[in-house]
């Protein structure tokens, strides 16, 4: 795979710096359960994300699972079919029924105008995803939630450090989840976090991620093991200082891509709404010609050992485990269906050579013509 170009490449701190961290861990003789590195990373991330409250996890999926448990949700949750499988699976693992809502054609996030008609007596929450770092209509969604007494959870896996209208993305909604998987801009090898506004949630979330253990004599909740260990936290401490430079390299790359692709008809580039900063998590294009052209481009790139990703295709509502749900039935999600045929995420990481972008643009131009 050495000559291959993958869709992303994880940030690696210098091995010497990570080794320094390891030496400290070795002398502490402490590997998990709220160790020194964990405590330090929690402090640094809280500040970095301008978070009111934060809790670290072993991965983003378990974090989201715990977020839902902590809010004691029941019944139905209105969510988007255009996302990574984990978003919806955590609902199933909590015995909740996902109710798929169509998406906004421009933003590709949950279409707030369609949420209200899906609300029933069983609805308890809205679960949105800031897809590719494009923020959901956070104000409008909060307004709906307030009027109907619903909780709001965001899967912010793609929106690390995004700011919307001068506020950090996680200031919106009850709880936001971040993933620190290596494919994400900031990572800890594997890891994740919950950011939330209500301090009262903190204790419950801490119990839930540690088997519900209160003390040596009391277990108060049916918790799970969601703890981040010291090796992961140490990785995070060394990756975090690299994020800003990576973002600015990616911003330049995005500009280069944008210029190269601008003249090609039938190709549009995903843009952020006014007032939102770009996390630079993905570089995604949309192909007006749909799946047929997309597949041709995907295959042609692959022939040149360039690997793009059809994020997010297929739609979650088309997975066999969800396809029988009433909200997944034929014709209910026309915009999501269309968008899922159009999107293609292209290789995007700071060290990507501009000459590869030239090559990608050439291959795309050849196939849409
Ligand atoms: C990566 C990702 C997740 C899962 O996070 P993990 O840390 O890998 O468990 C969830 N949702 C979205 C949208 C993602 O991109």
């Amino acid at each position: 795979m050495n000559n291959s170009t993958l869709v992303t490449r994880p940030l690696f701190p210098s091995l010497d710096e990570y080794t320094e961290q390891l030496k400290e861990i070795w002398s502490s003789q402490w590997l998990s359960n709220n160790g020194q590195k964990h405590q330090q990373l929690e402090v640094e991330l809280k500040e970095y994300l301008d978070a009111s409250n934060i809790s670290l996890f072993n991965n983003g999926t378990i974090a989201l699972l715990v977020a839902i448990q902590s809010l004691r949700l029941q019944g139905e949750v209105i969510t988007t079919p255009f996302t990574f499988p984990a978003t919806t699976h955590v609902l199933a693992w909590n015995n909740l029924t996902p109710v798929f809502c169509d998406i906004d054609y421009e933003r590709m996030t949950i279409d707030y105008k369609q949420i209200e008609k899906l609300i029933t007596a069983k609805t308890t929450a809205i679960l949105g995803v800031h897809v590719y770092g494009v923020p959901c209509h956070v104000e409008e969604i909060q307004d709906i939630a307030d009027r109907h007494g619903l909780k709001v959870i965001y899967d912010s896996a793609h929106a690390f450090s995004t700011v919307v209208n001068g506020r950090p993305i996680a200031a919106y909604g009850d709880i936001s989840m971040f993933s620190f998987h290596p494919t994400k801009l900031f990572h800890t090898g594997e890891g994740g976090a919950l950011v939330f506004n209500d301090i009262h949630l903190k204790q419950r979330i801490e119990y839930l991620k540690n088997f519900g253990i209160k003390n040596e004599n009391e277990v108060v909740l049916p918790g799970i093991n969601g703890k981040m260990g010291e090796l992961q936290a140490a990785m995070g401490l060394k990756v975090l200082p690299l994020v800003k430079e990576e973002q600015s390299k990616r911003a330049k790359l995005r500009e280069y891509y944008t210029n190269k692709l601008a003249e090609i008809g039938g190709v549009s580039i995903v843009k952020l709404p006014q007032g939102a900063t770009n996390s630079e998590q993905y570089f995604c294009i949309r192909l007006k010609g749909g799946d047929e052209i997309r597949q041709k481009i995907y295959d042609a790139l692959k022939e040149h050992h360039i690997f793009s990703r059809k994020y997010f295709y297929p739609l979650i509502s088309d997975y066999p485990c969800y396809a029988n749900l009433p909200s997944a039935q034929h014709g209910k999600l026309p915009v999501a269906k269309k968008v899922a045929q159009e999107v293609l995420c292209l290789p995007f990481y700071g060290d990507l050579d501009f000459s590869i972008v030239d090559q990608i643009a050439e291959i795309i131009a050849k196939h849409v013509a």
Side-chain angles (χ1 to χ4, degrees):
M1 298 289 276
N2 268 342
N3 293 321
S4 296
T5 302
L6 304 182
V7 80
T8 193
R9 185 186 281 180
L11 280 173
F12 274 89
S14 90
L15 189 53
D16 284 346
E17 284 195 23
Y18 190 61
T19 309
E20 277 307 308
Q21 293 285 313
L22 292 183
K23 282 182 185 156
E24 290 176 23
I25 291 171
W26 255 245
S27 54
S28 75
Q29 293 285 296
W30 195 280
L31 280 168
S32 191
N33 291 44
N34 203 27
Q36 270 273 298
K37 301 293 169 198
H38 180 286
Q39 287 176 29
Q40 195 186 336
L41 184 63
E42 212 165 62
V43 169
E44 289 190 15
L45 276 175
K46 185 169 184 273
E47 190 178 316
Y48 200 98
L49 296 172
D50 196 4
S52 320
N53 301 283
I54 190 167
S55 186
L56 303 184
F57 281 81
N58 49 3
N59 62 63
T61 306
I62 297 286
L64 201 53
L65 199 70
V66 165
I68 286 161
Q69 284 273 320
S70 74
L71 295 172
R72 299 184 172 92
L73 301 183
Q74 291 182 326
E76 299 173 357
V77 174
I78 297 171
T79 191
T80 171
F82 188 68
T83 183
F84 185 72
T87 317
T88 319
H89 290 344
V90 297
L91 296 175
W93 276 62
N94 275 295
N95 271 322
L96 296 163
T97 305
V99 175
F100 296 113
C101 179
D102 209 354
I103 62 174
D104 180 277
Y105 186 68
E106 289 303 319
R107 293 201 195 187
M108 300 174 286
T109 55
I110 193 164
D111 183 357
Y112 73 93
K113 296 187 258 24
Q114 315 237 14
I115 291 176
E116 263 180 309
K117 65 181 184 211
L118 298 172
I119 296 174
T120 72
K122 292 185 183 158
T123 310
T124 53
I126 300 163
L127 170 55
V129 182
H130 308 302
V131 182
Y132 318 123
V134 180
C136 294
H137 290 86
V138 285
E139 311 275 4
E140 292 87 346
I141 290 171
Q142 192 58 55
D143 199 51
I144 294 166
D146 289 345
R147 272 188 280 118
H148 295 270
L150 306 176
K151 300 289 185 192
V152 178
I153 302 174
Y154 288 114
D155 178 334
S156 301
H158 302 174
F160 187 80
S161 79
T162 295
V163 172
V164 184
N165 299 326
R167 297 178 75 198
I169 191 108
Y172 299 94
D174 292 281
I175 306 185
S176 294
M177 176 278 273
F178 293 93
S179 163
F180 304 150
H181 184 267
T183 53
K184 305 305 191 309
L185 177 71
F186 167 74
H187 74 88
T188 57
E190 285 270 5
L194 293 180
V195 172
F196 44 98
N197 295 313
D198 182 1
I199 181 74
H200 296 104
L201 282 172
K202 177 78 175 170
Q203 186 65 77
R204 204 172 149 71
I205 287 171
E206 293 298 318
Y207 286 155
L208 282 168
K209 79 173 191 197
N210 187 28
F211 312 101
I213 295 174
K214 185 173 181 184
N215 56 45
E216 273 183 74
N217 300 312
E218 287 173 280
V219 176
V220 292
L221 287 168
I224 198 163
N225 184 357
K227 289 172 278 118
M228 179 187 281
E230 290 294 272
L231 301 173
Q232 283 72 36
M235 182 62 121
L237 287 171
K238 289 297 150 193
V239 171
L240 193 57
L242 308 178
V243 167
K244 284 225 162 74
E245 196 195 334
E246 174 68 11
Q247 275 175 322
S248 66
K249 281 186 181 172
R250 289 187 188 193
K252 288 198 189 89
L253 195 63
R254 181 161 53 84
E255 207 179 289
Y256 192 78
Y257 256 126
T258 305
N259 289 334
K260 280 274 155 188
L261 298 174
E263 306 110 55
I264 307 174
V267 179
S268 63
I269 289 146
V270 171
K271 281 200 218 68
L272 271 77
Q274 264 220 319
T277 64
N278 201 325
S279 67
E280 309 293 355
Q281 172 65 60
Y282 286 112
F283 184 81
C284 181
I285 59 168
R286 292 172 65 168
L287 297 155
K288 292 220 172 58
D291 191 42
E292 203 179 316
I293 287 202
R294 178 179 61 178
Q295 191 61 44
K296 281 192 185 140
I297 292 171
Y298 176 93
D299 291 337
L301 290 172
K302 198 167 158 184
E303 270 173 40
H304 291 82
H305 308 285
I306 297 167
F307 295 88
S308 58
R309 294 298 293 264
K310 290 178 267 180
Y311 281 150
F312 287 101
Y313 172 87
L315 289 179
I316 310 269
S317 46
D318 288 335
Y319 297 177
C321 49
Y322 302 118
N324 287 329
L325 289 170
S327 62
Q329 296 313 300
H330 187 71
K332 295 229 165 176
L333 304 162
V335 179
K337 285 257 176 246
K338 186 167 160 58
V339 171
Q341 312 270 319
E342 292 180 352
V343 285
L344 192 65
C345 287
L346 300 177
F348 194 52
Y349 49 86
D351 287 339
L352 182 66
D353 218 277
F354 281 30
S355 68
I356 304 258
V357 176
D358 295 340
Q359 205 186 345
I360 292 170
E362 217 171 277
I363 291 168
I364 293 173
K366 205 161 96 190
H367 285 85
V368 290

